[in-house]
Amino acid sequence: MKILWNDQIVDEKEVKIGYEDRGYQFGDGIYEVIKIYNADVFTATEHIDRLYASADKIQLVIPYTKDVLHKMLHELIEINEVQNGHIYLQVTRGTSPRQHNFPLPVVESVLTAYTKETTRPLAELENGVKVCFVEDVRWLRCDIKSLNLLGNVLAKQEAVSKNCYEAIQHRGEIITEGSSSNVYGIKDGVLYTHPVSNLILNGITRKVILDCCQEVGIQVVEEAFTKEQALEMDEFIMSSTNAEVMPIISIDGHMIGNGKRGEWTEKLQQAFEKKIPATLEV
Ligand code: PMP
């Protein structure tokens, strides 16, 4: 497999990352996961914009224009001949002797991106998944797509150890987001989701879903809701680049609605489906 390493596409064996890379030592970097449908990147502009926004928020300079990066990602997909899957892309603050403050003089950032062929989670999209509540113990800049994911890792591990697909995080009583997803509740034909703030990642799929809501005619209220309210929703959904519009059928063993994918959820899935390239190989 070929890897994008800074601005070169090279064989994976050629990639050398320093042991003093700040991503490796401090998680000092940012990343994106971009979906590939039918050999094309989905919502690439939005992902690249968010990558540069995350970079700005941590004062990291990506030494390529967005257009150059976009082109390089397309080349990578072509060279690796990926049909369906995703790109993982990360940029770190570079390699320099270990010290917490930024390197001075500034060193060049280190970019790596690779592709992975995957299939869509079709059974889960139809049958829904079970989740559990986990206290959100992460820092207060969850809007940055940072490599520092220990809080998210521990939350997901807790979910997996309970045979759950995802951890629904809450700060006190307030639901924020999943460990690697945004979440939504639907009650009496209204979709509720946490507003965009420092407490959640502004998901690209979230944005697509809010567009889908307009198309299917469901009202959106971007307001936080509580754990108790979550359990009383008619339908519950999580979303991410890889999980798409994923129905949640139970939280902590408590059935949501009738324990099956809800009607609004199915409509949103259909609207989402229309936005992705038509000739899918799954
Ligand atoms: N929140 C968190 C914490 C995430 O890790 C992700 C997945 N990257 C999301 C939300 C969903 O974001 P997106 O739809 O852009 O994949």
Side-chain angles (χ1 to χ4, degrees):
M1 188 180 60
K2 301 288 186 191
I3 310 264
L4 177 62
W5 185 26
N6 300 319
D7 57 352
Q8 303 290 316
I9 293 182
V10 298
D11 195 82
E12 60 187 300
K13 290 190 197 81
E14 289 174 53
V15 178
K16 288 183 183 62
I17 304 292
Y19 62 90
E20 284 191 312
D21 184 287
R22 292 180 63 92
Y24 182 49
Q25 290 192 326
F26 297 111
D28 186 1
I30 50 171
Y31 77 104
E32 282 294 325
V33 179
I34 311 175
K35 189 79 189 168
I36 304 165
Y37 290 116
N38 204 28
D40 199 4
V41 273
F42 182 59
T43 54
T45 306
E46 288 83 350
H47 282 280
I48 291 172
D49 283 349
R50 185 173 65 184
L51 180 78
Y52 281 74
S54 290
D56 272 351
K57 288 173 183 178
I58 66 163
Q59 300 166 55
L60 186 153
V61 176
I62 301 173
Y64 320 106
T65 63
K66 290 180 182 180
D67 281 351
V68 166
L69 184 59
H70 204 131
K71 253 174 70 190
M72 293 192 298
L73 294 180
H74 268 287
E75 267 176 51
L76 185 68
I77 293 176
E78 229 175 271
I79 287 177
N80 283 337
E81 296 178 357
V82 190
Q83 278 300 311
N84 291 292
H86 63 253
I87 296 175
Y88 176 82
L89 160 70
Q90 72 168 48
V91 190
T92 76
R93 203 184 302 278
T95 307
S96 75
R98 187 178 184 279
Q99 59 172 17
H100 286 64
N101 52 297
F102 299 171
L104 201 71
V106 174
V107 294
E108 191 123 303
S109 58
V110 174
L111 183 152
T112 46
Y114 61 85
T115 56
K116 198 170 166 77
E117 189 90 39
T118 56
T119 53
R120 301 173 63 207
L122 292 180
E124 290 86 353
L125 287 170
E126 189 177 336
N127 301 324
V129 295
K130 298 176 177 172
V131 301
C132 58
F133 286 135
V134 175
E135 183 74 43
D136 191 342
V137 296
R138 299 172 303 159
W139 71 331
L140 297 173
R141 292 306 307 274
C142 299
D143 55 312
I144 301 171
K145 204 159 169 58
S146 149
L147 293 178
N148 264 294
L149 287 174
L150 203 43
N152 310 59
V153 165
L154 293 177
K156 182 79 91 190
Q157 183 56 32
E158 188 172 333
V160 169
S161 72
K162 292 177 176 166
N163 273 323
C164 288
Y165 191 84
E166 176 61 304
I168 306 300
Q169 300 179 101
H170 54 92
R171 285 194 194 264
E173 288 307 302
I174 298 294
I175 302 291
T176 51
E177 62 177 344
S179 72
S180 60
S181 59
N182 294 112
V183 297
Y184 319 77
I186 299 175
K187 183 75 182 171
D188 299 329
V190 179
L191 178 137
Y192 298 87
T193 193
H194 196 288
V196 169
S197 76
N198 61 313
L199 299 181
I200 68 162
L201 183 76
N202 189 359
I204 306 300
T205 322
R206 179 185 187 278
K207 192 168 168 285
V208 177
I209 288 180
L210 297 191
D211 289 344
C212 292
C213 283
Q214 279 227 317
E215 289 164 28
V216 305
I218 184 167
Q219 193 195 332
V220 174
V221 175
E222 291 182 70
E223 269 175 26
F225 54 85
T226 64
K227 282 167 74 182
E228 200 182 326
Q229 287 169 322
L231 296 177
E232 271 152 29
M233 295 289 180
D234 302 326
E235 301 180 34
F236 213 86
I237 303 171
M238 56 174 269
S239 77
S240 73
T241 295
N242 277 318
E244 300 181 0
V245 186
M246 182 63 77
I248 287 175
I249 54 169
S250 88
I251 307 178
D252 274 350
H254 177 108
M255 198 197 282
I256 301 296
N258 61 3
K260 295 203 168 78
R261 170 174 67 178
E263 279 174 31
W264 283 114
T265 305
E266 204 172 338
K267 279 187 193 158
L268 288 172
Q269 287 181 330
Q270 285 161 0
F272 184 87
E273 202 69 44
K274 284 198 195 125
K275 295 187 188 299
I276 62 184
T279 50
L280 278 175
E281 283 175 35
V282 288

